[in-house]
Coordinates of all heavy atoms in Angstrom, one line a residue:
Chain A
R182 N -6.9 -122.8 27.2 CA -7.8 -123.8 27.8 C -7.6 -125.2 27.2 O -8.5 -126.0 27.0 CB -9.3 -123.4 27.5 CG -9.7 -122.0 28.0 CD -11.0 -121.6 27.5 NE -11.3 -120.2 27.7 CZ -12.1 -119.7 28.6 NH1 -12.8 -120.5 29.4 NH2 -12.3 -118.4 28.7
Q183 N -6.3 -125.5 26.8 CA -6.0 -126.8 26.2 C -4.6 -127.2 26.8 O -3.8 -126.3 27.0 CB -5.8 -126.7 24.7 CG -7.1 -126.7 24.0 CD -6.9 -126.6 22.5 OE1 -5.9 -126.8 21.9 NE2 -8.0 -126.2 21.8
G184 N -4.5 -128.5 27.1 CA -3.3 -129.0 27.6 C -2.2 -129.1 26.6 O -2.5 -129.2 25.4
G185 N -0.9 -129.1 27.0 CA 0.2 -129.1 26.1 C 1.4 -128.4 26.7 O 1.4 -128.3 27.9
P186 N 2.4 -128.0 25.9 CA 3.5 -127.3 26.4 C 3.1 -125.9 26.9 O 2.2 -125.3 26.2 CB 4.5 -127.3 25.2 CG 3.6 -127.4 24.0 CD 2.5 -128.3 24.4
G187 N 3.7 -125.5 28.0 CA 3.3 -124.2 28.5 C 4.0 -124.0 29.8 O 5.0 -124.6 30.1
V188 N 3.5 -123.1 30.6 CA 4.1 -122.8 31.9 C 3.2 -123.2 33.0 O 3.6 -123.8 34.0 CB 4.3 -121.2 31.9 CG1 4.9 -120.8 33.3 CG2 5.3 -120.8 30.8
E189 N 1.9 -122.8 32.9 CA 1.0 -123.1 34.0 C 0.5 -124.5 34.0 O 0.2 -125.1 33.0 CB -0.2 -122.1 33.9 CG 0.1 -120.7 34.1 CD 0.6 -120.4 35.5 OE1 0.0 -120.8 36.5 OE2 1.7 -119.7 35.6
F190 N 0.3 -125.1 35.2 CA -0.2 -126.5 35.4 C -1.6 -126.5 34.9 O -2.4 -125.7 35.2 CB -0.1 -126.9 36.8 CG -0.6 -128.2 37.1 CD1 0.1 -129.4 36.8 CD2 -1.9 -128.4 37.7 CE1 -0.4 -130.6 37.0 CE2 -2.4 -129.7 37.9 CZ -1.6 -130.8 37.6
F191 N -1.9 -127.6 34.1 CA -3.2 -127.7 33.5 C -3.9 -129.0 34.0 O -5.1 -129.1 34.3 CB -3.1 -127.7 32.0 CG -4.5 -127.7 31.3 CD1 -5.3 -126.6 31.4 CD2 -4.9 -128.8 30.6 CE1 -6.5 -126.5 30.7 CE2 -6.2 -128.8 29.9 CZ -7.0 -127.6 30.0
G192 N -3.1 -130.2 34.1 CA -3.7 -131.4 34.5 C -2.7 -132.5 34.4 O -1.5 -132.3 34.2
V193 N -3.1 -133.8 34.6 CA -2.3 -135.0 34.6 C -2.8 -136.0 33.6 O -4.0 -136.1 33.5 CB -2.2 -135.6 36.0 CG1 -1.3 -136.9 36.0 CG2 -1.6 -134.6 37.0
R194 N -2.0 -136.6 32.8 CA -2.4 -137.6 31.9 C -1.4 -138.7 31.8 O -0.3 -138.6 32.4 CB -2.6 -137.0 30.5 CG -1.4 -136.4 29.8 CD -1.6 -136.1 28.4 NE -0.5 -135.4 27.8 CZ 0.7 -135.9 27.4 NH1 0.9 -137.2 27.6 NH2 1.6 -135.1 26.9
D195 N -1.8 -139.8 31.1 CA -0.8 -141.0 30.9 C 0.4 -140.5 30.1 O 0.3 -139.7 29.2 CB -1.6 -142.1 30.1 CG -2.5 -142.8 31.0 OD1 -2.3 -142.9 32.2 OD2 -3.5 -143.4 30.5
Y196 N 1.5 -141.2 30.5 CA 2.7 -140.9 29.8 C 2.6 -141.5 28.4 O 2.1 -142.5 28.1 CB 3.9 -141.6 30.5 CG 5.2 -141.5 29.8 CD1 6.0 -140.4 30.0 CD2 5.7 -142.6 29.0 CE1 7.2 -140.3 29.3 CE2 6.9 -142.4 28.3 CZ 7.6 -141.3 28.5 OH 8.8 -141.2 27.8
Q197 N 3.1 -140.7 27.4 CA 3.1 -141.1 26.1 C 4.6 -141.1 25.6 O 5.3 -140.2 26.0 CB 2.3 -140.3 25.2 CG 0.8 -140.5 25.4 CD -0.1 -139.5 24.7 OE1 0.4 -138.6 24.1 NE2 -1.4 -139.7 24.9
P198 N 5.0 -142.0 24.8 CA 6.4 -142.0 24.3 C 6.7 -140.7 23.6 O 5.9 -140.1 22.9 CB 6.4 -143.1 23.2 CG 5.3 -144.0 23.6 CD 4.2 -143.2 24.2
G199 N 7.8 -140.1 24.0 CA 8.2 -138.8 23.5 C 8.1 -137.7 24.5 O 8.6 -136.6 24.3
D200 N 7.3 -138.0 25.6 CA 7.1 -136.9 26.6 C 8.4 -136.7 27.3 O 9.1 -137.6 27.6 CB 6.0 -137.3 27.6 CG 4.6 -137.1 27.1 OD1 4.4 -136.4 26.1 OD2 3.7 -137.7 27.6
P201 N 8.8 -135.5 27.6 CA 10.0 -135.2 28.3 C 10.0 -135.9 29.7 O 8.9 -135.9 30.4 CB 10.0 -133.7 28.5 CG 9.1 -133.2 27.4 CD 8.1 -134.2 27.3
V202 N 11.1 -136.4 30.2 CA 11.2 -137.1 31.5 C 10.8 -136.1 32.6 O 10.2 -136.5 33.6 CB 12.6 -137.6 31.6 CG1 12.7 -138.3 33.0 CG2 12.9 -138.6 30.5
R203 N 11.2 -134.8 32.5 CA 11.0 -133.9 33.5 C 9.5 -133.6 33.7 O 9.1 -132.9 34.7 CB 11.8 -132.6 33.4 CG 11.5 -131.9 32.1 CD 12.6 -130.8 31.9 NE 12.4 -130.2 30.6 CZ 11.6 -129.2 30.3 NH1 10.9 -128.7 31.2 NH2 11.5 -128.7 29.0
W204 N 8.6 -134.0 32.8 CA 7.2 -133.8 32.9 C 6.5 -134.9 33.8 O 5.4 -134.8 34.2 CB 6.5 -133.8 31.6 CG 6.7 -132.6 30.8 CD1 7.5 -131.6 31.0 CD2 5.9 -132.2 29.6 NE1 7.4 -130.6 30.1 CE2 6.4 -130.9 29.2 CE3 4.9 -132.8 28.9 CZ2 5.9 -130.3 28.1 CZ3 4.4 -132.1 27.8 CH2 4.9 -130.9 27.4
I205 N 7.3 -135.9 34.1 CA 6.7 -137.1 34.9 C 6.3 -136.6 36.2 O 7.0 -136.0 37.0 CB 7.7 -138.3 34.9 CG1 7.9 -138.8 33.5 CG2 7.2 -139.3 35.9 CD1 9.0 -139.9 33.4
N206 N 5.0 -136.9 36.6 CA 4.5 -136.6 37.9 C 4.8 -137.7 38.8 O 4.1 -138.8 38.7 CB 3.0 -136.3 37.8 CG 2.4 -135.8 39.1 OD1 2.9 -136.2 40.2 ND2 1.4 -134.9 39.1
E207 N 5.8 -137.6 39.6 CA 6.3 -138.7 40.4 C 5.3 -139.2 41.5 O 5.1 -140.4 41.7 CB 7.6 -138.4 41.1 CG 8.7 -138.3 40.0 CD 10.0 -137.7 40.6 OE1 10.1 -137.4 41.8 OE2 11.0 -137.5 39.8
R208 N 4.6 -138.3 42.1 CA 3.6 -138.6 43.1 C 2.5 -139.5 42.5 O 2.1 -140.5 43.1 CB 3.0 -137.4 43.7 CG 4.0 -136.7 44.7 CD 3.2 -135.6 45.4 NE 3.9 -135.2 46.6 CZ 3.5 -134.4 47.5 NH1 2.2 -133.9 47.3 NH2 4.2 -134.0 48.5
A209 N 1.9 -139.0 41.4 CA 0.8 -139.8 40.8 C 1.3 -141.1 40.3 O 0.6 -142.1 40.4 CB 0.3 -139.0 39.6
S210 N 2.5 -141.2 39.7 CA 3.1 -142.4 39.2 C 3.3 -143.4 40.3 O 3.1 -144.6 40.2 CB 4.4 -142.2 38.4 OG 4.1 -141.3 37.4
A211 N 3.7 -142.9 41.5 CA 4.0 -143.8 42.7 C 2.7 -144.4 43.2 O 2.7 -145.5 43.7 CB 4.8 -143.0 43.7
R212 N 1.6 -143.6 43.1 CA 0.4 -144.1 43.6 C -0.2 -145.3 42.8 O -0.9 -146.1 43.3 CB -0.6 -142.9 43.7 CG -1.7 -143.1 44.6 CD -2.6 -141.9 44.7 NE -1.9 -140.8 45.2 CZ -2.2 -139.5 45.1 NH1 -3.3 -139.2 44.4 NH2 -1.5 -138.5 45.6
F213 N 0.1 -145.3 41.5 CA -0.4 -146.4 40.7 C 0.8 -147.1 40.0 O 1.3 -146.7 38.9 CB -1.3 -145.8 39.6 CG -2.5 -145.1 40.1 CD1 -2.5 -143.7 40.2 CD2 -3.6 -145.8 40.6 CE1 -3.5 -143.0 40.7 CE2 -4.7 -145.1 41.1 CZ -4.7 -143.7 41.1
P214 N 1.4 -148.1 40.7 CA 2.6 -148.8 40.2 C 2.3 -149.4 38.9 O 1.2 -149.9 38.6 CB 2.9 -149.9 41.3 CG 2.2 -149.4 42.5 CD 1.0 -148.7 42.0
G215 N 3.2 -149.3 38.0 CA 3.1 -149.9 36.7 C 2.6 -148.9 35.6 O 2.6 -149.2 34.4
S216 N 2.2 -147.7 36.1 CA 1.8 -146.7 35.2 C 2.6 -145.4 35.4 O 3.1 -145.2 36.5 CB 0.3 -146.3 35.5 OG -0.5 -147.4 35.3
L217 N 2.8 -144.7 34.3 CA 3.5 -143.4 34.4 C 2.5 -142.3 34.0 O 1.8 -142.4 33.1 CB 4.7 -143.4 33.5 CG 6.0 -144.0 34.0 CD1 7.1 -143.9 32.9 CD2 6.5 -143.2 35.2
Y218 N 2.6 -141.2 34.8 CA 1.7 -140.0 34.6 C 2.6 -138.8 34.4 O 3.7 -138.7 35.0 CB 0.7 -139.8 35.7 CG -0.3 -140.9 35.8 CD1 -0.1 -142.0 36.7 CD2 -1.4 -140.9 35.0 CE1 -1.0 -143.0 36.8 CE2 -2.3 -142.0 35.1 CZ -2.1 -143.0 36.0 OH -3.0 -144.0 36.1
V219 N 2.2 -138.0 33.5 CA 3.0 -136.7 33.2 C 2.0 -135.5 33.5 O 0.8 -135.6 33.3 CB 3.5 -136.7 31.8 CG1 4.6 -137.7 31.6 CG2 2.5 -136.8 30.8
N220 N 2.7 -134.4 33.9 CA 2.0 -133.2 34.0 C 1.7 -132.6 32.7 O 2.5 -132.7 31.7 CB 2.8 -132.2 34.8 CG 2.9 -132.5 36.3 OD1 2.0 -133.2 36.8 ND2 3.9 -132.0 37.0
E221 N 0.5 -131.9 32.6 CA 0.2 -131.2 31.4 C 0.1 -129.7 31.7 O -0.3 -129.4 32.8 CB -1.2 -131.7 30.9 CG -1.2 -132.0 29.4 CD -2.6 -132.5 28.9 OE1 -3.5 -132.5 29.8 OE2 -2.7 -132.8 27.8
F222 N 0.5 -128.9 30.8 CA 0.5 -127.5 31.0 C -0.5 -126.8 30.0 O -0.9 -127.4 29.0 CB 1.9 -126.9 30.7 CG 2.9 -127.5 31.7 CD1 3.7 -128.6 31.3 CD2 3.1 -127.0 32.9 CE1 4.6 -129.2 32.1 CE2 4.0 -127.5 33.8 CZ 4.8 -128.6 33.4
E223 N -0.9 -125.7 30.4 CA -1.9 -125.0 29.6 C -1.2 -124.3 28.4 O -0.2 -123.5 28.6 CB -2.7 -123.9 30.4 CG -3.8 -123.3 29.6 CD -4.8 -122.5 30.4 OE1 -4.4 -122.0 31.5 OE2 -5.9 -122.3 29.9
Q224 N -1.7 -124.6 27.3 CA -1.0 -124.0 26.1 C -1.3 -122.5 26.1 O -2.3 -122.0 26.5 CB -1.6 -124.6 24.8 CG -1.2 -126.0 24.6 CD -1.6 -126.5 23.2 OE1 -1.6 -125.7 22.3 NE2 -1.9 -127.8 23.1
E225 N -0.3 -121.7 25.5 CA -0.5 -120.3 25.4 C -0.4 -119.9 23.9 O 0.5 -120.3 23.2 CB 0.6 -119.6 26.2 CG 0.4 -119.7 27.7 CD 1.4 -119.0 28.5 OE1 2.5 -118.8 27.9 OE2 1.2 -118.7 29.6
R226 N -1.5 -119.3 23.4 CA -1.6 -119.0 22.0 C -2.0 -117.6 21.8 O -2.3 -116.9 22.7 CB -2.6 -119.9 21.4 CG -2.2 -121.4 21.4 CD -3.3 -122.2 20.8 NE -2.8 -123.6 20.7 CZ -3.7 -124.6 20.3 NH1 -4.9 -124.3 20.0 NH2 -3.2 -125.8 20.2
V227 N -2.0 -117.2 20.6 CA -2.5 -115.8 20.2 C -4.0 -115.9 20.0 O -4.5 -117.0 19.7 CB -1.7 -115.2 19.0 CG1 -0.3 -115.0 19.3 CG2 -2.0 -116.1 17.7
A228 N -4.6 -114.8 20.0 CA -6.1 -114.8 19.9 C -6.5 -113.8 18.9 O -5.8 -112.8 18.5 CB -6.7 -114.5 21.2
D229 N -7.8 -113.9 18.4 CA -8.4 -112.9 17.6 C -9.1 -111.9 18.5 O -9.9 -112.3 19.3 CB -9.4 -113.5 16.7 CG -8.8 -114.1 15.4 OD1 -8.0 -113.4 14.8 OD2 -9.2 -115.3 15.1
I230 N -8.7 -110.6 18.3 CA -9.3 -109.6 19.2 C -9.9 -108.5 18.3 O -9.2 -108.0 17.4 CB -8.3 -109.1 20.2 CG1 -7.9 -110.2 21.1 CG2 -8.9 -107.9 21.0 CD1 -6.6 -109.9 21.9
G231 N -11.1 -108.2 18.6 CA -11.7 -107.0 17.8 C -12.0 -105.9 18.8 O -12.6 -106.1 19.8
I232 N -11.5 -104.7 18.5 CA -11.7 -103.5 19.3 C -12.8 -102.7 18.6 O -12.8 -102.4 17.4 CB -10.4 -102.7 19.4 CG1 -9.3 -103.5 20.1 CG2 -10.7 -101.4 20.2 CD1 -8.0 -102.8 20.1
I233 N -13.9 -102.4 19.4 CA -14.9 -101.6 18.9 C -14.9 -100.3 19.6 O -14.9 -100.2 20.8 CB -16.3 -102.2 19.1 CG1 -16.4 -103.6 18.5 CG2 -17.4 -101.4 18.6 CD1 -17.7 -104.4 18.8
L234 N -14.7 -99.2 18.9 CA -14.7 -97.9 19.5 C -16.1 -97.2 19.2 O -16.5 -97.1 18.0 CB -13.6 -97.0 18.8 CG -13.5 -95.5 19.3 CD1 -13.3 -95.4 20.8 CD2 -12.5 -94.8 18.5
D235 N -16.7 -96.8 20.2 CA -18.0 -96.2 20.1 C -17.8 -94.7 19.7 O -17.4 -93.9 20.5 CB -18.8 -96.3 21.5 CG -20.2 -95.7 21.4 OD1 -20.6 -95.2 20.3 OD2 -20.9 -95.8 22.4
A236 N -18.2 -94.4 18.5 CA -18.0 -93.0 18.0 C -19.4 -92.4 17.7 O -19.5 -91.4 16.9 CB -17.2 -93.0 16.7
R237 N -20.4 -92.8 18.4 CA -21.7 -92.2 18.3 C -21.7 -90.9 19.0 O -21.2 -90.8 20.2 CB -22.8 -93.1 18.9 CG -23.0 -94.4 18.2 CD -24.0 -95.3 18.9 NE -23.4 -95.7 20.2 CZ -24.0 -96.3 21.2 NH1 -25.3 -96.6 21.0 NH2 -23.4 -96.7 22.3
R238 N -22.2 -89.8 18.4 CA -22.2 -88.5 19.0 C -23.0 -88.5 20.3 O -22.7 -87.8 21.2 CB -22.7 -87.5 18.0 CG -22.4 -86.0 18.5 CD -22.5 -85.1 17.3 NE -21.5 -85.3 16.3 CZ -21.6 -84.9 15.1 NH1 -22.7 -84.4 14.6 NH2 -20.6 -85.1 14.2
S239 N -24.0 -89.3 20.3 CA -24.9 -89.3 21.5 C -24.1 -89.9 22.7 O -24.6 -89.7 23.9 CB -26.1 -90.1 21.2 OG -25.8 -91.4 20.7
S240 N -23.1 -90.6 22.5 CA -22.3 -91.2 23.6 C -21.2 -90.2 24.1 O -20.7 -90.4 25.2 CB -21.5 -92.5 23.1 OG -22.5 -93.4 22.8
D241 N -21.0 -89.2 23.3 CA -19.9 -88.3 23.6 C -20.4 -87.2 24.6 O -21.5 -86.8 24.6 CB -19.4 -87.6 22.4 CG -18.1 -86.9 22.6 OD1 -17.4 -87.2 23.6 OD2 -17.7 -86.0 21.7
V242 N -19.5 -86.9 25.5 CA -19.8 -85.8 26.5 C -18.7 -84.8 26.3 O -17.5 -85.1 26.2 CB -19.8 -86.4 27.9 CG1 -20.1 -85.2 28.9 CG2 -20.8 -87.5 28.1
Q243 N -19.1 -83.5 26.3 CA -18.1 -82.5 26.1 C -18.1 -81.5 27.2 O -19.2 -81.2 27.8 CB -18.3 -81.7 24.8 CG -18.3 -82.7 23.6 CD -18.4 -81.9 22.3 OE1 -18.6 -80.8 22.2 NE2 -18.2 -82.7 21.2
G244 N -17.0 -80.9 27.6 CA -17.0 -79.9 28.6 C -15.6 -79.2 28.7 O -14.6 -79.9 28.6
D245 N -15.6 -77.9 28.8 CA -14.3 -77.2 28.9 C -13.3 -77.5 27.8 O -12.1 -77.6 28.1 CB -13.7 -77.4 30.3 CG -14.4 -76.7 31.4 OD1 -15.2 -75.8 31.1 OD2 -14.1 -76.9 32.6
G246 N -13.8 -77.6 26.6 CA -12.9 -77.9 25.5 C -12.4 -79.3 25.4 O -11.6 -79.6 24.6
Q247 N -12.9 -80.2 26.3 CA -12.4 -81.6 26.3 C -13.6 -82.4 25.9 O -14.8 -82.1 26.1 CB -11.9 -82.0 27.7 CG -10.6 -81.4 28.1 CD -10.2 -82.0 29.4 OE1 -10.9 -82.1 30.3 NE2 -8.9 -82.4 29.4
T248 N -13.3 -83.6 25.3 CA -14.4 -84.5 24.9 C -14.0 -85.9 25.5 O -12.9 -86.3 25.5 CB -14.6 -84.6 23.4 OG1 -13.5 -85.3 22.8 CG2 -14.8 -83.3 22.8
L249 N -15.1 -86.6 25.9 CA -14.9 -87.9 26.4 C -14.4 -88.9 25.3 O -13.7 -89.8 25.6 CB -16.2 -88.4 27.1 CG -16.1 -89.6 28.0 CD1 -15.2 -89.3 29.2 CD2 -17.4 -90.0 28.5
F250 N -14.8 -88.5 24.1 CA -14.5 -89.4 23.0 C -12.9 -89.5 22.8 O -12.4 -90.5 22.5 CB -15.1 -88.8 21.7 CG -14.8 -89.6 20.5 CD1 -15.2 -90.9 20.3 CD2 -13.9 -89.1 19.5 CE1 -14.9 -91.6 19.1 CE2 -13.6 -89.8 18.3 CZ -14.1 -91.1 18.2
E251 N -12.2 -88.4 23.1 CA -10.8 -88.4 23.0 C -10.2 -89.4 24.0 O -9.2 -90.1 23.6 CB -10.2 -87.0 23.3 CG -10.4 -86.0 22.2 CD -9.8 -86.5 20.9 OE1 -8.7 -87.0 20.8 OE2 -10.5 -86.3 19.8

Side-chain angles (χ1 to χ4, degrees):
Chain A
R182 301 168 195 255
Q183 283 178 16
V188 177
E189 293 296 314
F190 177 75
F191 187 69
V193 178
R194 63 166 170 78
D195 283 334
Y196 175 83
Q197 287 171 0
D200 280 343
V202 176
R203 59 191 171 86
W204 282 15
I205 293 172
N206 186 325
E207 289 170 1
R208 282 189 167 188
S210 302
R212 201 174 297 160
F213 301 100
S216 300
L217 273 179
Y218 293 96
V219 291
N220 287 336
E221 228 181 1
F222 300 94
E223 187 169 21
Q224 289 190 33
E225 291 181 335
R226 293 180 176 173
V227 296
D229 276 313
I230 295 164
I232 299 174
I233 302 174
L234 174 63
D235 183 358
R237 293 172 296 169
R238 193 163 292 154
S239 53
S240 298
D241 193 17
V242 180
Q243 301 186 351
D245 283 352
Q247 289 186 312
T248 71
L249 197 59
F250 178 68
E251 285 305 315

